[in-house]
């Protein structure tokens, strides 16, 4: 288990108030709640994108909250995927390796493995802006996995996909994370995500865990 304490942040018209939260260090933990419940705020605080002075996050003896964002070892798949449109799929994935200063030979090997696992070989040379929704999602996942993060954060990763693509995408993400043995926090409002992916479910409402 990793343990988050004092995740408390006042936004004026809304307050996050999570004094204690235990997150499994294997499998997928879902943070589930309706729009406006505080899910994305939790996501941003854990990533270090928003300040939370009293926060502690004990992950296997390391307080991630005391580390700079780039040192936390977190992989991220944003809701809108956040790919660089002027780069092709390969360049987007390898950007993570360059940012983490991973040796080129290791990065190429990981790229090949993830490309095969995620079915991306045929679109490696395609500019991000020309990729389909499903391809963008898989490229974003490959980029997040490139540096073998200690934990993966997924922010509504299927909401931008057409309904007919979501079932396959859920199964793919579940299988890849299981094979890679990387724990994840899934931010979602979709009960189908919980049924297919989550080993643990934590509901959030009005900024509090219930």
């Amino acid at each position: 288990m990793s343990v988050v304490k004092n995740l408390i942040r006042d936004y004026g018209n809304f307050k996050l108030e999570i004094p204690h939260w235990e997150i499994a260090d294997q499998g997928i933990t879902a943070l589930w709640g309706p729009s406006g419940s505080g899910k994305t705020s939790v996501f941003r605080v854990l990533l270090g994108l928003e300040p939370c002075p009293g926060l502690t996050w004990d992950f296997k003896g390391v307080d991630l909250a005391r580390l700079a964002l780039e040192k936390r070892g977190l992989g991220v798949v944003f809701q809108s995927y956040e790919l660089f449109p002027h780069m092709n799929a390969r360049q987007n994935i390898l950007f993570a390796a360059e940012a983490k200063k991973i040796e080129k030979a290791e990065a190429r090997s990981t790229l090949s493995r993830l490309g095969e696992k995620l079915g991306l070989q045929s679109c490696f040379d395609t500019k991000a802006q020309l990729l389909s929704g499903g391809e963008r999602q898989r490229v974003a996942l490959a980029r997040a996995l490139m540096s073998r993060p200690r934990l993966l954060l997924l922010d509504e990763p299927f909401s931008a996909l057409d309904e007919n693509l979501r079932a396959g995408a859920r199964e793919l993400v579940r299988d890849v994370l299981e094979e890679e043995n990387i724990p994840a926090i899934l931010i979602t409002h979709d009960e189908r995500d919980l049924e297919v992916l989550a080993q643990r479910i934590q509901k959030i409402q009005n900024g509090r865990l219930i």
Side-chain angles (χ1 to χ4, degrees):
M1 292 288 178
S2 70
V3 181
V4 173
K5 293 183 179 180
N6 300 319
L7 202 169
I8 298 170
R9 179 164 164 75
D10 193 341
Y11 293 87
N13 60 344
F14 177 80
K15 186 175 184 180
L16 272 181
E17 198 163 4
I18 301 176
H20 187 94
W21 181 25
E22 295 184 356
I23 303 169
D25 57 11
Q26 58 183 354
I28 299 175
T29 299
L31 183 63
W32 172 58
S35 178
S37 59
K39 302 187 302 298
T40 297
S41 296
V42 169
F43 181 88
R44 290 180 60 81
V45 168
L46 292 182
L47 275 178
L49 297 176
E50 294 188 5
C52 188
L55 177 71
T56 64
W57 184 3
D58 185 346
F59 188 98
K60 298 182 180 180
V62 178
D63 185 357
L64 300 186
R66 294 292 170 263
L67 301 179
L69 189 155
E70 66 274 10
K71 300 290 187 182
R72 295 188 184 191
L74 304 175
V76 189
V77 178
F78 292 98
Q79 184 174 352
S80 56
Y81 308 137
E82 302 293 336
L83 301 180
F84 299 108
H86 64 288
M87 293 183 181
N88 62 30
R90 177 187 289 104
Q91 291 166 331
N92 265 281
I93 298 168
L94 289 176
F95 180 85
E98 294 169 8
K100 297 291 184 180
K101 297 181 172 54
I102 296 171
E103 291 186 3
K104 289 185 178 180
E106 181 184 347
R108 285 195 298 268
S109 175
T110 302
L111 176 69
S112 178
R113 176 173 58 81
L114 291 174
E116 182 176 357
K117 190 172 291 187
L118 293 167
L120 290 171
Q121 299 97 324
S122 63
C123 66
F124 270 158
D125 295 320
T126 304
K127 289 288 183 66
Q129 59 190 353
L130 300 177
L131 296 171
S132 69
E135 289 168 342
R136 286 196 297 272
Q137 191 230 25
R138 284 179 280 141
V139 169
L141 180 60
R143 184 177 63 182
L145 294 173
M146 170 57 73
S147 59
R148 291 287 300 173
R150 67 179 90 202
L151 182 74
L152 185 65
L153 279 77
L154 305 161
D155 183 19
E156 301 275 7
F158 313 108
S159 61
L161 299 179
D162 293 336
E163 186 60 41
N164 63 338
L165 292 176
R166 290 182 189 176
R170 289 186 185 102
E171 292 174 4
L172 179 65
V173 168
R174 179 195 62 200
D175 294 346
V176 168
L177 291 184
E178 185 175 314
E179 290 173 17
E180 296 289 312
N181 194 29
I182 294 174
I185 299 174
L186 169 67
I187 308 294
T188 186
H189 69 278
D190 192 329
E191 293 188 33
R192 186 60 182 151
D193 291 347
L194 307 181
E195 295 168 9
V196 175
L197 293 164
Q199 280 79 52
R200 291 169 59 92
I201 300 169
Q202 179 65 68
K203 187 173 182 181
I204 184 170
Q205 187 170 316
N206 298 323
R208 294 174 173 81
L209 302 184
I210 60 173

